[in-house]
Amino acid sequence: MIVLTDLHLLPEGGRIIGLDPFGRVAAAIAHINAHHPDAERVIVTGDLTHRGDAASYERVRELLGRLVVPCSIMLGNHDDRDAFFTAFPGAPRDRNGFAQHVTTVGGYRLVMLDTIKDRSPAGTLCDRRLAWLDEALADRAPAIVFMHHPPHPTGFAGMDAIALDNGDAFHALAARAGNVRLVVAGHVHRTISGVYNGLPFAVFKSPVHQQPMVLDAGDTSLSVDEPGAYGILLLGERGVTVHTDDFALTTAAATY
Ligand SMILES: [Fe+2]
């Protein structure tokens, strides 16, 4: 399984710190198609666009349409839910209209949450979304929960101020359910892993622009041109192995 996060697409000609999101995401998708055509699914964990506009969602459609692997799409704080559903009318939504759904891969429930908090860069899980999550975990099958906003601290002061605003409620629910094996998030544009409240987590870099490795940076728009990356999850009966590939650095392997 592949995790792509934070595509930040802009209309044609748009740049972020001088980088072309369309070209970078196109390179990521070409790399996935070349190296992981047998992956069971690609999960895109939000911030599909930079400004939530229709022209950018058309570019998201064009690029994700190139994937040879089935794809599940989620939303982040840079997205607009209505504009997304206009561009992707067949995208799954829950009974309350949130972009949340569950699919099963390799014996795991992949639970994809909608953490958009209106008019805020932070995220939230309101009571209706938490109730849906409770039901999604009720059958006690091993689960991996995907959400744009990390529900745990990352150590980046600025990003932690705009993380999921009720992470404690999520962790209390997950602890009660007892079957969440891994939490996967985006939002931070940095490769981060650890454990919080007993739950392992993984956060991945963007294929486009990254968070500089400055923990006390308060400016959340500060970005750096490190190589684009995506995550790779190997799902096994007894656990999940987490890899990242800085795909832009990849050169042909040679023996030594
Ligand atoms: Fe982002």
Coordinates of all heavy atoms in Angstrom, one line a residue, residues 5-8 46-47 49-50 77-78 148 159 186-189 206 209, ligand 1:
T5 N 0.6 12.1 0.3 CA -0.1 13.2 1.1 C 0.4 14.6 0.7 O 1.5 14.7 0.2 CB 0.2 12.9 2.6 OG1 -0.7 13.8 3.3 CG2 1.6 13.2 3.0
D6 N -0.5 15.5 0.8 CA -0.2 16.9 0.6 C 0.3 17.2 -0.8 O 1.4 17.6 -1.0 CB 0.8 17.4 1.7 CG 0.1 17.3 3.1 OD1 -0.5 18.3 3.5 OD2 0.3 16.2 3.8
L7 N -0.6 17.1 -1.7 CA -0.3 17.3 -3.1 C -0.3 18.9 -3.5 O 0.5 19.3 -4.3 CB -1.3 16.7 -4.0 CG -1.6 15.2 -3.7 CD1 -2.6 14.6 -4.8 CD2 -0.3 14.4 -3.6
H8 N -1.1 19.6 -2.8 CA -1.1 21.1 -2.9 C -1.2 21.6 -4.4 O -0.5 22.6 -4.7 CB 0.1 21.7 -2.2 CG -0.1 21.7 -0.7 ND1 -0.5 22.7 0.0 CD2 0.1 20.6 0.2 CE1 -0.6 22.4 1.3 NE2 -0.2 21.1 1.5
G46 N -5.0 13.9 1.9 CA -5.5 15.3 2.1 C -4.5 16.4 1.6 O -3.4 16.1 1.3
D47 N -5.1 17.6 1.6 CA -4.4 18.7 1.0 C -4.1 18.3 -0.5 O -3.0 18.4 -1.0 CB -3.1 19.2 1.7 CG -3.5 20.1 2.9 OD1 -4.6 20.3 3.2 OD2 -2.5 20.5 3.5
T49 N -5.4 20.0 -2.9 CA -5.1 21.3 -3.6 C -4.5 22.3 -2.5 O -4.6 22.0 -1.3 CB -6.4 21.9 -4.1 OG1 -7.2 22.3 -3.0 CG2 -7.1 21.0 -5.1
H50 N -4.0 23.4 -3.1 CA -3.5 24.4 -2.2 C -4.5 25.4 -1.7 O -4.5 25.9 -0.6 CB -2.4 25.2 -2.9 CG -1.4 25.9 -2.0 ND1 -0.8 25.4 -0.9 CD2 -1.0 27.2 -2.1 CE1 0.0 26.3 -0.3 NE2 -0.1 27.4 -1.0
N77 N -6.9 20.5 5.4 CA -7.3 21.8 5.6 C -7.2 22.8 4.5 O -7.9 23.8 4.4 CB -6.5 22.4 6.8 CG -5.0 22.3 6.6 OD1 -4.5 21.2 6.6 ND2 -4.4 23.4 6.5
H78 N -6.4 22.5 3.5 CA -6.3 23.3 2.3 C -7.4 23.0 1.3 O -7.5 23.6 0.2 CB -4.9 23.1 1.6 CG -3.8 23.9 2.3 ND1 -3.4 25.2 1.8 CD2 -3.1 23.7 3.4 CE1 -2.5 25.6 2.6 NE2 -2.2 24.7 3.5
H148 N -5.9 13.4 8.0 CA -4.9 14.5 7.5 C -4.2 15.1 8.7 O -3.0 15.2 8.7 CB -5.7 15.6 6.8 CG -4.7 16.6 6.3 ND1 -3.9 16.4 5.2 CD2 -4.5 17.9 6.7 CE1 -3.1 17.5 5.1 NE2 -3.5 18.4 5.9
M159 N 3.1 23.6 14.0 CA 2.2 22.6 13.4 C 1.4 21.9 14.6 O 0.2 21.6 14.4 CB 3.0 21.5 12.7 CG 3.7 22.0 11.4 SD 2.6 22.8 10.3 CE 1.5 21.5 9.7
G186 N -0.9 13.2 7.6 CA -0.1 14.1 6.7 C 0.1 15.4 7.4 O 0.5 15.4 8.6
H187 N -0.2 16.5 6.7 CA -0.3 17.8 7.3 C 1.0 18.5 7.6 O 1.2 19.7 7.4 CB -1.2 17.8 8.5 CG -1.6 19.1 9.1 ND1 -2.1 20.1 8.3 CD2 -1.6 19.6 10.4 CE1 -2.5 21.1 9.1 NE2 -2.2 20.8 10.3
V188 N 2.0 17.7 8.1 CA 3.2 18.3 8.6 C 4.3 18.4 7.5 O 5.2 19.2 7.7 CB 3.7 17.5 9.8 CG1 4.9 18.2 10.5 CG2 2.6 17.3 10.9
H189 N 4.2 17.6 6.5 CA 5.2 17.6 5.4 C 6.6 17.2 5.9 O 7.6 17.9 5.7 CB 5.3 19.0 4.7 CG 4.0 19.4 4.0 ND1 4.0 19.9 2.7 CD2 2.7 19.5 4.4 CE1 2.8 20.2 2.4 NE2 2.0 20.0 3.4
S206 N 5.5 15.3 1.8 CA 4.8 15.6 0.6 C 5.6 15.3 -0.6 O 6.9 15.3 -0.5 CB 4.5 17.1 0.6 OG 4.1 17.6 -0.7
H209 N 6.6 20.1 -1.3 CA 7.4 20.9 -0.4 C 7.4 20.4 1.0 O 6.4 19.8 1.4 CB 7.0 22.4 -0.5 CG 5.5 22.6 -0.1 ND1 4.5 22.1 -0.9 CD2 5.0 23.2 0.9 CE1 3.4 22.4 -0.3 NE2 3.6 23.1 0.7
Ligands
FE1 FE -0.3 20.3 3.5

